[in-house]
Amino acid sequence: AEYLSSKVERARPTMMNADMDAVEAENQVELEEKTRLINQVLELQHTLEDLSARVDAVKEENLKLKSENQVLGQYIENLMSASSVFQTTDTKSKRK
């Protein structure tokens, strides 16, 4: 079928130069649009990669800070339990 259609194409008179230029210009516009879209997709992929890396870094930092907070919380608890200022006072030990 393709072979026949190409024969028919060759049998037809060739397109006028103006028509060919118009088709070429249209193809050029289409190609530029495709290129622009491809570049946009690539840029978005890079942005996504950067954001993913940033999220991972923030998660890691968050875990570190949580861990540090636990250590500090424990330390403060130990200090408070060792200090008489923070001991619960009962009526016997109150002084006037």
Side-chain angles (χ1 to χ4, degrees), residues 9-76:
E9 287 291 327
R10 270 188 254 127
R12 284 187 195 153
T14 56
M15 274 194 219
M16 292 172 63
N17 280 345
D19 287 345
M20 286 176 77
D21 287 348
V23 168
E24 206 172 295
E26 200 175 305
N27 287 345
Q28 185 64 29
V29 167
E30 205 172 297
L31 185 66
E32 283 169 8
E33 179 68 6
K34 280 182 185 175
T35 304
R36 192 183 64 78
L37 287 172
I38 288 169
N39 287 335
Q40 203 173 347
V41 166
L42 290 172
E43 194 178 320
L44 287 171
Q45 280 180 341
H46 291 138
T47 302
L48 183 59
E49 285 168 9
D50 291 347
L51 287 172
S52 292
R54 181 78 183 115
V55 165
D56 289 344
V58 167
K59 276 184 184 174
E60 205 174 303
E61 183 68 17
N62 195 28
L63 283 172
K64 262 194 247 173
L65 289 173
K66 267 186 184 173
S67 174
E68 285 175 19
N69 279 349
Q70 282 179 332
V71 169
L72 286 172
Q74 193 61 52
Y75 176 70
I76 289 168

